[in-house]
Amino acid sequence: MAKRLITLFLLGIMALPHAFSQDAFLIGLVLSKDSLPLQGASVVVTSDEDQSKQGALTSERGRYRFKGLQPGPHTITVEYVGYEAFSKQINLTEGPNFAGRIVLGEKSYELDAVVIKGQVPPAQQKGDTTEYNADAFKTNPDATAENLLEKMPGVVVQNGQVQAQGEAVRQVLVDGKAFFGNDPNAALKNLPAEVIQKIQVFDQKSEQAQQTGFDDGERTKTINIITKPEMRNGTFGRVFGGAGTENYDALDRYNAGFSLNNFNGDRRISILGQSNNINQQNFSNEDLLGVVSANGASRRGFRGGRPRRGGDASDFLVNEQGGISTTNSAGINYTDKWGKKIEVAGSYFFNQSDNISETNLRQEYISSGDNGQIYEEEEESNSSNINHRFNLRLEIKPDDKTSIVYRPRLTIQQNEGSSFTSATTLVGSQLLNTSTTDFESDLTGLSTRHQLSYRRRFAKRGRSISVSVNAQYDEQSGNNFLKSGINYFSEPASVDTIDQKGTLQSTTWNTSANIRYTEPISDKGMLQLYYRVNPQLEESDQQTLNDPLGTGSYSLLDTALTNTFESNYTTQQVGAGMFFRGGKAFFITRVAYQFAQLDNQRIFPVEDQQVRNFNNLVPFALLRYRFSRSNDLRVIYRGSTSPPSVDQLQDVINNSNPLQITSGNPELDQNYSHRVILRYNKTNTKNNSVLVAFANGTFTENYVGNHTIRLNQDTTLANGYLLPAGSQYIFPVNLDGYFQGRVFVSTGRLIEAIKMNVNLDLSVDYRRQPGLINNRLNLANTTTGGFGLTLSSNISENWDFTVSSRTTANQVINSLQSTQNSNYLQQDSRARLNVILPGQVVFRSNISHTLYTGLSQDFNQNFWLWSLGLGKKFLKNNRGELYLSVFDALGQNTSITRTVNENYIEDLQSLVLQRYVMLTFTYNIRAFTDGKGDKLNLPNTGNDRRGGPPGRPDFRPRN
């Protein structure tokens, strides 16, 4: 029935009347009276009907191009510093239009006599891109791109994570080019706000979709930072160093680093480095846990969320979240054009981090009885992580119809650590067991990925063929040592000890190849045919050796804790799709038949093989409707499958937490997810407002959840492993009923009368997570409502302040045990003030308030964190600054988090950095030229936008 409905749906789409109107596009040339091309001239095209605008800068040959224009009367305006403005009307028709040669005459007076009037609109909606003008947001001279972003409507910066339009930002580009791979923090924390002209927010399509023009549904929330034209030639950055004290008897805190950027047209080199012991970082979490970045888990993560399962590299990691870190990092990023046919972007990043952590944890388990289990734990740990990360993107265009893109990536990591844990399990007030655990680990990981794509366009417009091949290899190897003592207080009471060594060798081969052919079926539509094959092989060999004589030889193989396992998952897809494009509507539909085979083989201790075949239809649909140039609606539906990982399949016992034993399950099936996304954007340049509405929902069949068995008596598993009374046994199972949804609305407005930016956002998140507890189904329903308010100044660069508050109310309802439902509230408020007083005296204050209510006993929090400082700017152009600061002046800093899932509610308190005093010297480097070697004298104001003409250079990657 489903197949028939999809077939009828596709036939209906093919029968749509060709009612979509054809867009117009415009090209032209801007010259001086000497017939020389004017590069960087501002060209603005305004619709005479709805006053919508598009802007661009001319190329080095004086050329400009606009696409996606509505047919009808328009006005072209051209401006260039030192030349007379030019304006003329033109009536655009469908298809190509040529505006001819526009010649500008020189002005007869000096540039400094020019007064530019008018207000720059803070944001514009251009198709699926929201574009913010940096000119409209005033920031402090020393502000970073991150400080600028948090003033913009629809953008939320919280705990170093940037969200735009309700989704986490995964990638930041600079002038359309990659910057340190996919690491958003590298650009946002190191690029000064004063070099930014515009910021674009959009969903970047996959490499292949960009080449073919046919959307495949693979998207990444992306921010593109467009730099000012006058700052694309020169060197800028900063160097800083500081020393401080925490105990007031020694200089025991330090922070030093640099960020240097050399831009010379297309060739751009950025170098950054940092060393500190105050928890400062400008890199992504991948550099901390890159070896397990695929699942993002740490050793702690499998206690708070998903259980640990055999064969996973995270079983060999020591917790590295929270605590106090000492960091040393350095990196280099390079982008350039090699001739007219080759573009290259590459980066290398090194990170070394040492972490000391102390945690206090409490888990309240959901139970069908009156009294649920309570697990309490205290842990001290330290870890050392070294990471090397390489990225490269090479694009070759042999001719104007052919494109070849190669993207290699390599990550190498080593992680060492140790921890000491003491834990207790209770039922009500009755003590079930206690344990102490010593754990040491040493893990090495390697991950490399290679993506190669080829695209060829034919003479007929819209006809193309593309081929892509991806290959990924991951390897993890290491060992751990576990010593543990457990006291069980059931009748009869017993004592157990563990002294063992574990080894891991795990590899993953993942390759895919696909070919796509597109053919125009009219001037408004296109057909695509494609085939894709994706074999994936995962191998895991985990051994456990015991030391029965206590000699340290670890010579006795424990077969109950040893397993060698292979999982081979292969999918093949054959499908067809089509799209129609018009002036206001854009529609894509695609459906594929997928055959998948999951072949699981246990090699040791007992050979076994399970082979399962799956047949699915995988649909995709996208509708975008533009009510106007500034008013856009997008609806997306996508079906997808996902196999269980080898660590979920491998049925080896993991006893690194002796009270919570885990294992995999080789009988798991693949899951199938349905996802719907709606997004609405509206900008109004007349009242300087932006509205973003976002909603999504995901329903998953055969969701991989957890089955938790809490034992009231000693139990022996089939492999002979004894589970004592009072412990838990956790393994994954397929369950139906998982659902996750989110609604997010954000609106922002620049109120010129009071020179303030006001941003409001509302969000509602809901998750239904199924799990089995002693063979009974529990549905954990979590609802979170959030409200955020941000007020930021737009007075001047000398007075920069932001006041924000975010409140989230959380409700947890369990279907199995209503007495363990909970309601808790979290509120985070912050006030940041940066003031430059007369005499170049600098005062900065950052105060935040955190409130937690409704948590477990001793975990509710209500505290203030206040950091402030006083400094002085000096040297030429005030490039230098000496600054004395106090962190956590009130001495109240703390860290509390709550995790809720289908099995338990967890509260976790971590060691944090507290009060210290530091003296820091910073020098800002600014040396720009006009591209011919002549120096530009640009003041260090951070908001002097007069250096270049307005406009929109089209640096965003073509979609």
Side-chain angles (χ1 to χ4, degrees), residues 23 53-54 67-68 123-132 164-165 167 199-206 209-210 213-224 581-588 620 622-636 677-683 690-694 952 954-959:
D23 288 350
K53 297 182 179 182
Q54 285 198 41
K67 58 183 179 180
Q124 302 176 69
Q125 188 66 34
K126 297 181 177 180
D128 60 351
T129 299
T130 303
E131 185 175 89
Y132 300 94
Q165 300 170 347
E167 298 179 280
I199 288 180
Q200 298 174 330
V201 179
F202 61 97
D203 291 331
Q204 186 176 33
K205 300 176 184 176
S206 68
Q210 293 180 52
F214 202 104
D215 200 326
D216 59 6
E218 299 288 345
R219 293 174 176 272
T220 303
K221 180 61 69 178
T222 300
I223 285 177
N224 182 32
R581 176 168 52 191
K584 290 190 175 182
F586 178 85
F587 183 80
I588 296 175
F620 171 80
L622 181 151
L623 171 65
R624 188 181 75 197
Y625 188 83
R626 293 186 299 180
F627 301 95
S628 67
R629 293 290 181 189
S630 60
N631 201 352
D632 176 87
L633 173 67
R634 173 172 295 204
V635 182
I636 300 173
I677 300 174
L678 295 91
R679 181 181 295 114
Y680 175 77
N681 299 317
K682 181 178 182 180
T683 59
V690 175
L691 173 65
V692 176
F694 169 85
R952 176 180 179 261
D954 191 11
F955 280 113
R956 176 184 159 175
R958 293 187 298 273
N959 286 338

Side-chain angles (χ1 to χ4, degrees), residues 69 199 259 268 526 789 846:
L69 297 171
I199 288 180
S259 171
R268 302 182 176 190
M526 184 182 296
L789 170 65
N846 193 333

Side-chain angles (χ1 to χ4, degrees), residues 77-141:
T77 303
V78 182
E79 296 180 348
Y80 194 73
V81 175
Y83 288 79
E84 297 287 351
F86 175 89
S87 180
K88 77 170 185 178
Q89 287 189 323
I90 185 172
N91 189 46
L92 299 182
T93 59
E94 294 182 356
N97 295 264
F98 184 58
R101 296 157 59 96
I102 296 176
V103 179
L104 301 184
E106 295 185 7
K107 290 184 178 180
S108 59
Y109 50 84
E110 297 295 329
L111 178 63
D112 57 9
V114 178
V115 177
I116 300 177
K117 297 181 179 180
Q119 180 178 313
V120 179
Q124 302 176 69
Q125 188 66 34
K126 297 181 177 180
D128 60 351
T129 299
T130 303
E131 185 175 89
Y132 300 94
N133 293 294
D135 300 13
F137 303 93
K138 296 187 181 298
T139 57
N140 194 262

Side-chain angles (χ1 to χ4, degrees), residues 772-806:
L772 291 178
I773 302 174
N774 289 344
N775 292 305
R776 297 187 63 185
L777 178 66
N778 179 58
L779 295 175
N781 298 274
T782 305
T783 305
T784 302
F787 170 74
L789 170 65
T790 301
L791 303 175
S792 59
S793 66
N794 213 45
I795 302 171
S796 74
E797 59 272 15
N798 292 329
W799 284 85
D800 181 18
F801 63 86
T802 300
V803 179
S804 63
S805 181
R806 181 165 302 280

